[in-house]
Structures are given as structure tokens and as C-alpha cells.
Amino acid sequence: MNTIKGPAIFLAQFIGDEAPFNDLRSICQWAAGLGYKGVQLPTNDLRFIDLQKAADSKTYADEIKGIVNEAGLEITELSTHLQGQLVAVNPAYDSLFDAFAPVQVKNNPAERQKWAVSQLNAAAKASQNLGLNAHVTFSGALIWGMVYPWPQRPAGLVDAAFDELAKRWKPILNVFDEHGIDLCYEIHPGEDLHDGVSYERFLSKVNNHKRANLLYDPSHFVLQAMDYLEYIDIYHERIKMFHVKDAEFNPTGRQGVYGGYADWIDRAGRFRSLGDGQVDFKAIFSKLTQYDFKGWAVLEWECALKNSEDGAREGAQFIKDHIIRVTGRAFDDFAASGSDDAFNRSLIGL
């Protein structure tokens, strides 16, 4: 078995315009001061990493890695959540998702998609240049707005959408394979890949591509009332990344999974800081350790109530306390009687 690496922190929710959150060196020093050992880097902010440059220049990638290492940290993975979203956008969401795109491709869905694909391809090469082995993204969504079948979905619509989703992603998956990087989809409401069934449908469309893997985040399954522990049993061979994020789901006579359009603080399902929600992290860390998960335990902080800096400070210790340092021997070795092949055969009458 393998001891899970960590604690690490996803920087996306902490980046800002004030020190120490406004440049890579400062934010890494801040994270190290809280006890983190790794950082997961978003790639949509040039103050932290120029993704295309990291793909084109091993020297630049080494400089980025050096800044992180100087703080006593490692880069765990890169993230293209926002760019991945733009690989597949239903036209109804074009104007909203233009916010994720650079000025030169806004109001031009075809060019925006080409840009997103180029970003994913760059992420594969940049990850290789940085010495990483996994990358996280979103799948995008062509039919999320039709997730509840009313009016009735036309026959063949779901297959058509997943055929197109696979057509867009398979060349990207091939690029990741060329560079030896696992592409991990964060299974997430709002994406066409939002649960196990939708992931399996996609996987079949890309011919079970070996690089079409998973980031495991139990918070999204709590909010869907899914069994997040059985999910590990089912998909552990595909789980290559882990976001440690808490959540709670408290349905009432007035609202449930859909939340009634309420603000986050008033929803039945809410993201919470680590330890403040309902996720059984002892069971999760046990299962991932049992299945020999070799990646990082990465805090993704989101909470409707708590200050982010408090969440980060508490989260480092929370993850540290939950990482299981694996044993090197069986607990009952003290009672071992020793054996050899002849002795074993004699015990069964051979």
C-alpha cells in the first residue's frame, strides 16, 4: 500500500489582488506557512503561470517549479477547469461562459472552442515539462440544461450529445497520452459528466480511453444524494486525483437537491469547510489507502459560512490528521508460527 501525499491546496479560491494572494511566490510562502506540502495550480491567471509558455519552454517550466520548490512545496497538478468548460458549451450558455475566455475569442463560439482545445493541449505538454503525471479539468456541457426530462427529451438526443462530446475530447485525450499524463475529469453538476452513469456513457464513447480518468470530490456526491463511498469501490482504478472538500445536505419539506434557486447559504445542499460538513473523511481516506491511491490529498476550499483563510488554516491540519501512514507489517505478525511449503502441505494432508 501507499501513503497518500499531502496536505496540498488548490489555489483557485484564494487568488486575489492583495498580498500574499496576488503572485505565485507569495501565495506559496503563505501556503507553506500553514503546513501545506503541495499546491495545485489553476492556469487561467498569468500572474501564477503562463500555460502556453510552460508548454513551449522547459526552462520557463523549471522556473515556475523552482519558485514553488523554494517555498518547500511541490506542484501537485495543473488545472484547466475554466478552459475545459469551453470545450463543450450549449448555445444557451454562450454569453455566460464568454467570461472564461480571452477578449480575442469572445462572441465567437467556434474560435473560443479552438482556443480551449489549444489550452488543454498545452496543459498536457506543460504538465510533462513540470514532471507531473495527472491533470484536472471539466468536461463541459452540451445537454446539462436538459438533465431533467421535461419536456421529454427527443429520442437520440443524449447519444448525439455524448457522441459529440467524445468527438471533441478524444483527440485531446490522445495528446495527453502522448505526453504520459492522466486527464482527470472533475465529476460535477453543471457538467455533462456529473455522476457515475454519465461518466460511464462518456467512457464507452471514447473506447475506454486509458487517459480518461477521474478527480474524486465527495462534496458533489453529497449534494446529489449519491453513495460517495461505493463510488470509490466502483471507480478506484480510474481515480487519479482527490479534492478534499466537505458538504452537507439537509433536505426539508420545502427544498431538496435542486435548492429552489436559493442562495448558497439558504440551500439544503451547501459546501462547507473541512470538518464542518457531513462527509465521512475517515472512511474515504481508508478506502483510498486500501486501493493504493498514489496521488495527493488536495484541499479545495468552498464554504457558505467560514472565512477562506480560516478554512485553509484548519484544512491543512485536518488533512494531515486524516492521512494514513501505511503499515509495513501485519498487526498479528507477533503470533506468526513460520512455515515452509512442506509444512503447509502437511497441514492439509498432502
Side-chain angles (χ1 to χ4, degrees):
M1 294 183 296
N2 184 74
T3 298
I4 295 172
K5 293 181 284 189
I9 185 170
F10 184 32
L11 295 179
Q13 285 83 5
F14 299 93
I15 289 173
D17 294 327
E18 302 293 331
F21 306 110
N22 56 352
D23 69 74
L24 181 60
R25 191 180 305 277
S26 296
I27 204 169
C28 284
Q29 291 170 348
W30 166 79
L34 295 178
Y36 288 101
K37 303 299 181 184
V39 290
Q40 189 176 91
L41 287 183
T43 58
N44 58 303
D45 191 320
L46 295 176
R47 293 176 298 175
F48 295 85
I49 186 171
D50 183 323
L51 183 58
Q52 190 61 59
K53 193 173 180 180
D56 294 339
S57 170
K58 181 67 164 60
T59 299
Y60 173 76
D62 287 342
E63 289 172 0
I64 292 295
K65 187 176 181 180
I67 291 171
V68 176
N69 292 163
E70 283 174 12
L73 302 173
E74 296 181 46
I75 300 173
T76 65
E77 303 94 4
L78 301 179
S79 150
T80 53
H81 283 87
L82 301 190
Q83 300 98 313
Q85 184 77 59
L86 301 183
V87 170
V89 177
N90 184 285
Y93 296 94
D94 272 339
S95 59
L96 289 172
F97 283 137
D98 259 356
F100 294 173
V103 173
Q104 64 268 25
V105 297
K106 290 182 186 294
N107 301 311
N108 190 333
E111 289 302 312
R112 185 185 63 201
Q113 183 195 346
K114 289 180 183 178
W115 173 82
V117 170
S118 71
Q119 285 279 287
L120 265 295
N121 291 339
K125 180 59 176 175
S127 295
Q128 183 186 51
N129 283 343
L130 289 163
L132 308 177
N133 55 32
H135 179 80
V136 58
T137 196
F138 278 151
S139 69
L142 297 174
I143 55 168
W144 170 254
M146 303 172 195
V147 67
Y148 196 85
W150 180 255
Q152 184 181 28
R153 290 188 293 256
L157 175 67
V158 175
D159 270 340
F162 274 82
D163 283 342
E164 179 62 25
L165 196 67
K167 179 182 176 182
R168 297 184 187 191
W169 277 105
K170 194 168 182 181
I172 299 171
L173 288 164
N174 289 339
V175 171
F176 273 82
D177 191 32
E178 291 168 10
H179 293 292
I181 309 296
D182 287 318
L183 182 56
C184 301
Y185 295 99
E186 181 166 359
I187 304 303
H188 192 295
E191 310 302 314
D192 281 344
L193 306 190
H194 59 272
D195 60 10
V197 173
S198 56
Y199 170 66
E200 289 176 18
R201 185 185 292 269
F202 175 75
L203 200 58
S204 70
K205 297 288 188 181
V206 295
N207 301 317
N208 295 306
H209 201 293
K210 69 178 183 180
R211 297 299 180 180
N213 291 302
L214 297 167
L215 177 144
Y216 176 70
D217 182 337
S219 68
H220 301 304
F221 304 141
V222 169
L223 269 56
Q224 295 182 75
M226 287 174 57
D227 186 334
Y228 56 84
L229 295 177
E230 186 182 26
Y231 183 97
I232 299 175
D233 291 327
I234 298 169
Y235 300 114
H236 60 88
E237 292 181 353
R238 290 279 183 170
I239 295 172
K240 307 295 184 181
M241 294 176 62
F242 176 25
H243 270 177
V244 190
K245 189 168 75 170
D246 212 342
E248 61 183 355
F249 182 54
N250 299 302
T252 69
R254 289 189 170 90
Q255 62 164 282
V257 170
Y258 300 110
Y261 301 113
D263 293 335
W264 275 113
I265 197 167
D266 297 318
R267 293 177 64 91
R270 307 189 296 189
F271 298 123
R272 299 297 308 275
S273 283
L274 290 185
D276 294 344
Q278 297 168 347
V279 176
D280 185 351
F281 283 106
K282 286 186 177 180
I284 288 172
F285 275 84
S286 293
K287 277 190 177 289
L288 289 175
T289 301
Q290 171 190 342
Y291 288 122
D292 201 27
F293 174 70
K294 294 180 172 61
W296 286 82
V298 181
L299 169 73
E300 183 184 17
W301 176 87
E302 291 180 356
C303 186
L305 299 175
K306 185 170 287 184
N307 177 275
S308 62
E309 293 184 53
D310 291 340
R313 174 176 47 79
E314 295 170 4
Q317 189 63 46
F318 185 94
I319 293 173
K320 183 178 179 181
D321 289 343
H322 280 78
I323 289 175
I324 298 169
R325 188 161 64 97
V326 299
T327 181
R329 61 185 180 87
F331 63 86
D332 55 356
D333 277 353
F334 74 94
S337 59
S339 69
D340 56 35
D341 185 60
F343 179 63
N344 290 341
R345 291 173 61 84
S346 73
L347 288 177
I348 56 177
L350 299 177

